[in-house]
Every structure is written in structure tokens, then in C-alpha cells.
Amino acid sequence: MSAAAAMPAAEAAGADEERVFVTLMLADQLCGIPVLAVRDVLAARNITRIPLAPAEIAGSLNLRGRIVTAIDLRRRLGLPPPPEAASRMAVVTEQGGELYALLVDQVSEVLSLAARDFEHNPPTLPMLWASHSAGIYRLPGRLMVVLDVGRILALTAAQ
Amino acid sequence: MDDLLVDFLTETNESLAELDVALVRLERTPDDQPTLSLIFRLVHTIKGTCGFLSLPRLERVAHAAENVLGRLRDGDLAATSAIVSAVLAALDRIKEIMAGLAEAGAEPAGADDALIAALDAAAAGRETTASSRDTDLPLAEPPPLAEPLLAEAATPAPREGADAVVAGQTIRVGVDVLEDLMTLVSELVLTRNQLLQLARNEQNSPFTVPLQRLSHITTDLQEGVMKTRMQPIGNAWNKLPRLVRDLGHELGKKIDLVMHGAETELDRQVLELIKDPLTHMVRNSADHGLEGSEERRAAGKPETGRITLNAYHEGGHIIIEIADDGRGLSIERIRAKAQALGLASEVELAAMSEGQIQRFIFHAGFSTAAAVTAVSGRGVGMDVVKTNIERIGGTIDLKSTQGAGTIFTIKIPLTLAIVAALIVEAGGERFAIPQISVVELVRAGLAGEAASDQPVIERINETPVLRLRDRLLPLVNLRELLGLGAAAGVAREFYIVIAQVGSSLIGVIVDRVFDTEEIVVKPVAPILRHITMFSGNTILGDGSVIMILDPNGVARASGSAGNGESRKPLPATAETMTSATRTAMLLFRVGEGTPKAVPLGLIARLEDIPRERIETSSGQAVMQYRGRLMPLIPFAGATLAGESQAVLVFSDGTRFMGLMVDEIVDVMDEVLRIELGTETAGLLGSAVIGGRATDVIDTDYWLRLAYQDWFRAGHDPHPGALAPHLLLVEDSEFFRQLLVPVLVAAGYRVSAVESAAQALRLRAAGTRVDAIISDIVMPDMDGRAFARAIREDGAWRGLPLIAFSGRAEPADIAASRQAGFTEHIAKSERDKLLATLRDQLAPVGVESGVDAASGVAP
């Protein structure tokens, strides 16, 4: 479920083609994940730390009997850790039959966005962001970064 | 009833059901070749099996039916409904006889002549079928035909019932269905555990009783489903008789294979996983274990060797023994090999029990077979067998008596899906340790504080060990191993889980120990698979996820992670690779100063000799050693008092020299990073060993105090920038590890690279070397091609070039010389390599000197 692969198709389909995103906040930056890639949204609680795991891996949690590996998106994107007390949310996504939970600060509304508002990554985007972003949407008053779930997970797997 | 017969009935009933359907299909589409072939094959199988089991009635009927089908298949006959009916009648008869069989265990009496005649007529009736339907008339109408034919059967047995009995005994279910069931049951077990946990927290809950029942039912269900996955171990053995027979021929040995307990059942997943290791071990026993007929006769044994397989259940595990009555393991050979491979020093070996020495065969790269035969020694060693068995949570052990044979004992869990595990806590996190590897739990105190009967933690140079009854066990602190931070405050008591890892024990210090729980092992996410410390993860009764520790991984990690913080990042260039190899260093103490160290590989023996054995000969301390006089050199500052004297014995093969020190402290594996630049004679420099600054001694200096010509070429006692620079080209990491310390210790600067291409890049980069040592067999560019490339042109054209190869037949040596090598030396001859290097790098004009030591040694 790579958003990068799907994106040019959306462009070709016309400026009015709409895509639906689950939006979320990461250190004050609005991000979006294609709604079809999202299996679940839950409060990030009871995460078991996994010793010796890569830093990006926050741990694992139990989602109705299945074990889900939690990935700290802030760390993945080189952002500072969240304030101590902040409660976090998790967006669950699936890859290769395995479930992964992406830890984010806040999950907000689901947005339907038109392809005409889509932009490719500006070349000046920091490396970590550029490699995990499939593009940018211009929203009234702010920008939304489309997270490339495939690449976020693939990069982790490569380590 | 005979098992064979039951199997036959079950199988045939299945075939018959299939046949009914297929025949009907054939009737509709007479030209359907695949269906015809299928029918023919099924009937043929039935006939064949009947003959085998001597069921003459069945065989005759099946044979007649097969004839008809054969002609149909060949296109000689068309599948008219008359013919199909005849065949169906034959099938009905077969079913009838089978029903009788199922009931009485023998074929019921009765005549089938009319049926067979009808079938034969059908088979022969190619010409008649078209023109005269008269012949076929009785067959054309099935009902009237069936009546008289049925009447023939003397005992028209209660067909329905008997059919049901046989057919109902087994059904075939796809493995995936069973796997799904197993997964569901696993989930059910988890949910049950969660419920029980909740109920435990509530007093007098109305749910308690029904929950108990649910719990029991779940357990029964779990066992039931587990049973469906069980297969007799015989399934993994059935290829072995043939294998052993073929091996016997190939090796010219007479071998008997005896199998006991083939019906012992275990989980099919486990079965699949042990198939290969088992096969390999039987192969090993036949090849290495058993002697040839001649040798056996000479040893007074029966000519025919015997391999015995035995399987039985023992408390949730299955035990498999593979025994042979062959020559047994040669302790001497293993000892020599272990020493040659640097797995243990002679001193360590001398202290080991036979059992411990025998277990060396499970080490990687260990094969005592003098020659690699076509049968075994092909790279799949006992270490692979061991790894595979340990991977499924099993253990392997062996017992061998020289001359009487070897017994391998494998212990594996019955199933992998659900295991009992001990839940422990370390650093605030909980972990599961599979119960199979937990030997016992102990609470230990610190030395000097513990109660008299309590196990005690002691320290050897900062390394904690556990003294448990009469054994010393290595200890690892789970908290530290997993990087969970140090404990707050100093603990006075420790919970230690004694875990079995292979044949040895290891103590794992944990913070707390909870209950044992049945856990469902789930594989970890792919992105975590590289952490070998965990074998999986699971969900506990309270719903939390915990990691399952792999004791093997823990042992492996602790073995190499002892001094994690002092390890520095590995330098990237080939030039400095020497620094990254770990060397076993012997630590000793002289006087009050810094501890001293010397590479263990250089030491021949460690001796503790009574003071009175030290004599003086022409002003030099000597002692009688192995029939000769060995000069004893006191290390500068050594006390030389007390009843006995610790001596490090060095040897070059013929001569010995003893270095007297105050105390031998420890042996440590350490990255040898010597900081040169000391002014003190007899010291190379200092290095951090075991977290402490340690002086590394200049062996050469001390050796030459005893014999001026110990190293005949004689080089600078402070090998700094002037030391000869060697280039080692060797693709095997093992040999690089083995050789680099030896060369470094001999005073050379060494660059080790793993391929000829890398070496040539160094040449292109203008690296200056004084001699090159190269392996022959390497991927891509082999040693000889490399030698030719060196000799062709470039700065290294005139350098001494030494081939260091696993093979040193005359032909190999000739080929190496041809390619431009100066010398060809077998890998086993390390001393010869050093001698050759000394010769080759000797300053021009200095030939090997006179044996100056002859004056000392008588």
C-alpha cells in the first residue's frame, strides 16, 4: 500500500479526483496517511519496550490478540521526543501480514482532498522528511505532508 | 486386526469412494482420458495391495476389473454404460469383501466367478460390443445383473455398518485446516488466561465456577487439537532404512538399522524440523561411527555394525536416541583438534572431563573425520545439527565410549505452538523464559554474606560467577545484557534462573520471578528478527505483550558482550583490521604493578611447580621438563618466593622456556589494541583488557633471554614502525582470526584482507608490505591467480609470497610454485609458517645462526 505509487495515478485522473486521508499531528506538523492504509486508530497505551531494538521501535502492543509493533514516528522523522505527560495515539497499518502501529501526537479528522491541491515534495525538504513523504497538500491556511507508509516501514525493515 | 490391514481398509475405502465418482463421470464423458487414467491407477493400486496382503478374492476381482479398464484406457474399448456397470459391479463386490474383512479380519468366503466371467467378457468383447449387444445384455441392465452377482456373495454382511466403521475411522483434513484450528485454540488459551487473571482479582465472583469449566474444556480442546497435529516419528524415519542400506554399499560396511518407538508421536512442525538433523546424524553414525568389517572383526565385534534409533516420551518432551556400536569418539583426536582450532588451551583441556571434550564436536568447523568422504563431512557438521535442534528449543547431548560406540540423545518439546514459560522481570520489563530450558531457580547471596547453605556469587576479576553446590556457573545479568540500565542500589540477594544451553548451564540474574504460564509463541515482527536474544513474543493473561527470551541467544550474546563498553568502533580500512580481531589473552601478575598480559596462543603450558624443583645451572635457573632442562627466566620484578612458582611455558616445538611470574590471573578475550611506546624492556606496550590498563609483554624479548636465537632472524625487540609488514589474504574469517594474533604476537605488523581484489587495491594504493601470505581457495580470484598478478608487475613483484592452504599435497605445492609462490605451507603448520617468514624476512646476509642454546640444553 504505497502512497507513492498511487499518487501519480491520482494526478492523471484529473484535478477533481479526491483522495481521503486520516490526518494526524506530529510536533505541530499536519500529516496525512491514505485512509485505505489505516487499519485502526487507538490510544497508545501499554506499550512493551523491546530491549535492543532499533531506536525507532517504541515497542509492541496487543491489538485484540494480535501483536503490533509500534514505531515512534517522531523518532523516525528526527523530531524531538514529545513532552513527558503527553498521551499519544497510534495509527495501525499492515504490511506483509504484520501489523505496525505508528505513534503520533494526535489523530484528527478524516479529510477528502482534491488532486489539484497536491504538490510534490519541495526539494528543500529535510532528508528524513523527504524520504518518508509522498508529497504535500495545500490546505486552507496550512500544509499537509502525505506520509509514505510503505517507505516508513520498508526503511525500518532494512535496518 | 493387523495394522497393515486397517491401513489398507482405510485407504481402499477412500479410493473406492473416489472411484465411484470417477466412474460415473466417465460414463457421462467416455473419452475423458484423465479420469480413465485415474480409475485405472486406483484399481491397479487396490489390486497390487491385495496381492501384497494375500487377499486372493479381492485380487481376482480387482484384476478382472483392471483388465477391462486397461482396455478402456488403451482405447480398445469404448466406455459404454454396460462396461461401466460391469466395473461398478466389481467395485461393489470389492466393497462387500472389504466389509467382511473389516468385520472378521479375513476375506469372507464366496465365489466371484460369474462376475469375473462378465468382466472378462467385457474386456474381450471389443468386436462384439458393436454388433451383438446380446453378450452384454445382462450387463446393459445393471439392476438385474447386480442381483445375481450379489447373491453370489456367501456372506452379504451388514454392509452399511461395516462401511461406516472403516470409513469413519479416519478422515483426511487439510493441514491448513489444522493449522487454523491450532491458531484459534491458541487464541482461546490466551483469552482463557485473561479471564482467569480477571477472576483471580475478584472474590466470590459468580463466574468462578463456569470459568473453571471453561478452563478445563479449553485445556482438553487444546490437547485434542494438538493430537490432530501429531504424527508418529516413524514418518521421519521411513527413509532411513534405505539410506543406511545405500550407505552400507557405498562404504562397504555391513550395517543393521534398528528402530524402536517409531509410533511415538510429536507435532508435525517439530517432525519436519528434526527430519534433516536426524538423517544427518544417522549418516554420521554410519560413516564415522561404525568401523569397517575388518576393523570390527579385529576388535572382536560382530561384523555387522548396528545403529539403533529409539524414541520415547518423557514429560512433555520426546527423547530420541541415536546409538551406534562403533569405535566411539577419539578423545585424543578431539583434544588435538580443539587445541589446533584454538578452542581451548592444553591446560584447559587437561582439566576437562571426557564428556566436555567430546562436546567439542558440536563446535562449528569441527570434524574429526580424517578424510572428507562422499557421505559426510560435507559442510553440514554437528554444529548445524545442534543449532537446528536448539532452534526448536531442544537439546542434544552425547555419550561415547571409545571402542564401544556413541549415543546421541536429543530432547525436544512435543510442540512448538504452546509452551510453558517462566515469567521473570528485569529492569521493569517482563520476559518469558521457556520452561524447557529452565533447570532451577536459585536465590543467591554475595560472597561472605550468604547463609551457609545458600549459593554464592563470587567474582573472578570483576566477572561474576555462581558457586552452586559443587559447580561454578557463568552468570549474566539480564538487565545489563538487554541494556535496561543498572539496578538502583546494591542488591544483597539475587534471583538467578539456571538455564540449560546446549550441554552447559548458565545463570541469568533477574530482578523478580513470577509464575509459569502457558504461552503461545508468536514470531516477532520481521524488523526485530535480528535480535537473537528473543525467540518470539506472546500475550500474557493480563493482555500485555512480552518478549520470549532465547537462552541460546542470551548465552551467545553474553559470551561476546562481556566487555561491551570497552569495545571501540571497528576501523574501516583493511590496514587496521588487525585491531578488530579478538585475541585470548592470559593475564598474570608480577609484583604490585599493572597486570601483565600475553596472547594465550603463544603459551604452550601453564605450570605451577614446587619451588624445590627449580635448580641452577651455570647461573641460570632451570628445571627438568619433559626429560630436558628448561631455562627459567624470572619476569622483571617477580617475587620468586613461596612454595610453588607459577610458570608460563613457551615452546617452539623442540625447546621449552619458562617465564616465572607471581600469579596467573585469568584468560580474557579481548580486542588486542596495543598502544606502543613503552620504554621498559620486555614490554610491548599497554592495552585495555577487561576494562583495565594492562601491560602486554614482549614475548620475543623474554624468549631471547633464554635462547638468543629463539627467533632465528631476530628482529627489533620493539616492533614499531620497523617491524616487517605482512599482508594476509584469507577469505575465511576464522583463519584470519586465528592467524592475525599469532603473526602480531610474533612481532609483525599485519594487514588482513578477505579477497585478492582487496589486496590488489592496497597495492594500487601504494601500500608497502614486506611479505604476502595468501590462501589458495578463495572465491572470485583464487590464490594462484593472485600470485600470478603479483608476479606480473607492480611494486610487490619481488616480495616473498607464501601460500597458506588447507591442502598441501605435492601437486598443490608444485602448482603454487608454478604460479609464483615462494613457499606453500599447510594451514595446520603454523610453526612452519613462522619459520618460513623468519627465513624470508631475514636481513640479507644473515643466515640462520648457530644454535646458541646448545650450551644450556644438554
Side-chain angles (χ1 to χ4, degrees), chain A residues 48-54 57 60-62 65-67 69 98 100 156-157, chain B residues 187 427 429 431 481-482 522 525-528 531 533-534 537-539 543 545:
Chain A
T48 305
R49 276 198 292 161
I50 303 173
L52 310 177
I57 295 181
S60 49
L61 51 96
N62 171 8
R66 288 193 63 177
I67 295 176
T69 308
E98 292 282 334
Y100 297 90
T156 319
Chain B
E187 298 299 337
E429 301 289 335
F431 299 94
L481 194 64
L482 297 179
K522 292 169 185 256
I527 52 175
L528 298 172
I531 311 176
M533 218 83 84
F534 305 119
N537 47 15
T538 189
I539 299 176
V545 179

Side-chain angles (χ1 to χ4, degrees), chain A residues 70-86:
Chain A
I71 293 169
D72 189 332
L73 263 192
R74 270 180 178 260
R75 278 207 206 119
R76 191 100 205 79
L77 295 172
L79 295 169
E84 276 299 315

Side-chain angles (χ1 to χ4, degrees), chain B residues 570-599:
Chain B
L570 302 186
T573 61
E575 174 79 19
T576 42
M577 268 183 71
T578 52
S579 341
T581 44
R582 301 181 82 80
T583 315
M585 300 293 285
L586 178 96
L587 297 188
F588 60 92
R589 194 171 284 283
V590 176
E592 290 304 310
T594 346
K596 310 283 186 285
V598 59

Side-chain angles (χ1 to χ4, degrees), chain B residues 366-681:
Chain B
F366 211 99
S367 169
T368 49
V372 172
T373 67
V375 179
S376 41
R378 283 183 301 195
V380 200
M382 289 306 291
D383 63 312
V384 178
V385 168
K386 179 166 175 264
T387 315
N388 282 344
I389 287 169
E390 283 175 356
R391 192 170 295 150
I392 54 175
T395 57
I396 181 167
D397 204 357
L398 82 157
K399 215 156 69 196
S400 182
T401 316
Q402 218 153 334
T406 307
I407 303 177
F408 288 94
T409 311
I410 301 173
K411 181 179 175 185
I412 39 181
L414 286 182
T415 179
L416 303 180
I418 300 183
V419 300
L422 181 73
I423 312 296
V424 300
E425 187 183 290
E429 301 289 335
R430 282 180 298 172
F431 299 94
I433 305 178
Q435 194 76 51
I436 181 175
S437 36
V438 176
V439 180
E440 64 176 298
L441 289 173
V442 298
R443 223 166 63 174
L446 285 175
E449 300 177 11
S452 58
D453 55 341
Q454 201 178 7
V456 172
I457 293 184
E458 298 190 49
R459 281 176 191 280
I460 301 174
N461 197 32
E462 299 298 302
T463 309
V465 292
L466 176 71
R467 189 194 294 211
L468 179 64
R469 295 183 284 275
D470 55 346
R471 298 184 66 167
L472 271 191
L473 301 184
L475 278 178
V476 289
N477 194 323
L478 194 56
R479 190 192 264 274
E480 286 165 18
L481 194 64
L482 297 179
L484 291 169
V490 180
R492 293 263 161 261
E493 270 198 330
F494 300 87
Y495 291 98
I496 297 171
V497 178
I498 311 291
Q500 175 103 37
V501 177
S503 53
S504 53
L505 297 176
I506 180 170
V508 183
I509 304 177
V510 299
D511 297 350
R512 286 173 74 185
V513 175
F514 299 97
D515 226 346
T516 48
E517 227 180 279
E518 295 261 284
I519 57 167
V520 179
V521 180
K522 292 169 185 256
V524 295
I527 52 175
L528 298 172
R529 298 257 157 88
H530 65 282
I531 311 176
T532 53
M533 218 83 84
F534 305 119
S535 57
N537 47 15
T538 189
I539 299 176
L540 282 188
D542 63 3
S544 54
V545 179
I546 70 169
M547 305 302 292
I548 303 169
L549 282 176
D550 176 3
N552 298 306
V554 169
R556 271 198 303 276
S558 61
S560 59
N563 297 291
E565 66 275 16
S566 66
R567 219 186 309 169
K568 294 167 188 149
L570 302 186
T573 61
E575 174 79 19
T576 42
M577 268 183 71
T578 52
S579 341
T581 44
R582 301 181 82 80
T583 315
M585 300 293 285
L586 178 96
L587 297 188
F588 60 92
R589 194 171 284 283
V590 176
E592 290 304 310
T594 346
K596 310 283 186 285
V598 59
L600 188 63
L602 293 179
I603 296 173
R605 289 187 71 84
L606 300 177
E607 296 285 351
D608 210 20
I609 47 173
R611 173 85 46 208
E612 62 265 20
R613 279 184 56 199
I614 300 178
E615 300 164 50
T616 313
S617 154
S618 44
Q620 161 115 49
V622 293
M623 69 174 284
Q624 292 177 30
Y625 194 74
R626 299 198 173 174
R628 303 184 62 171
L629 273 187
M630 172 170 81
L632 293 173
I633 307 289
F635 195 93
T639 326
L640 304 184
E643 282 182 13
S644 64
Q645 177 64 50
V647 174
L648 318 183
V649 180
F650 296 84
S651 167
D652 67 349
T654 52
R655 292 174 297 178
F656 293 93
M657 173 273 205
L659 189 62
M660 296 189 280
V661 302
D662 285 357
E663 185 194 3
I664 290 160
V665 181
D666 199 1
V667 174
M668 300 203 99
D669 251 356
E670 195 55 76
V671 172
L672 190 51
R673 184 185 291 273
I674 302 175
E675 326 256 335
L676 297 172
T678 169
E679 290 302 310
T680 319

Side-chain angles (χ1 to χ4, degrees), chain B residues 193-203 211 515 517:
Chain B
N193 291 352
Q194 287 177 21
L195 281 174
L196 287 177
Q197 188 104 18
L198 288 177
R200 236 173 265 152
N201 298 336
E202 284 191 29
Q203 304 279 312
L211 252 181
D515 226 346
E517 227 180 279

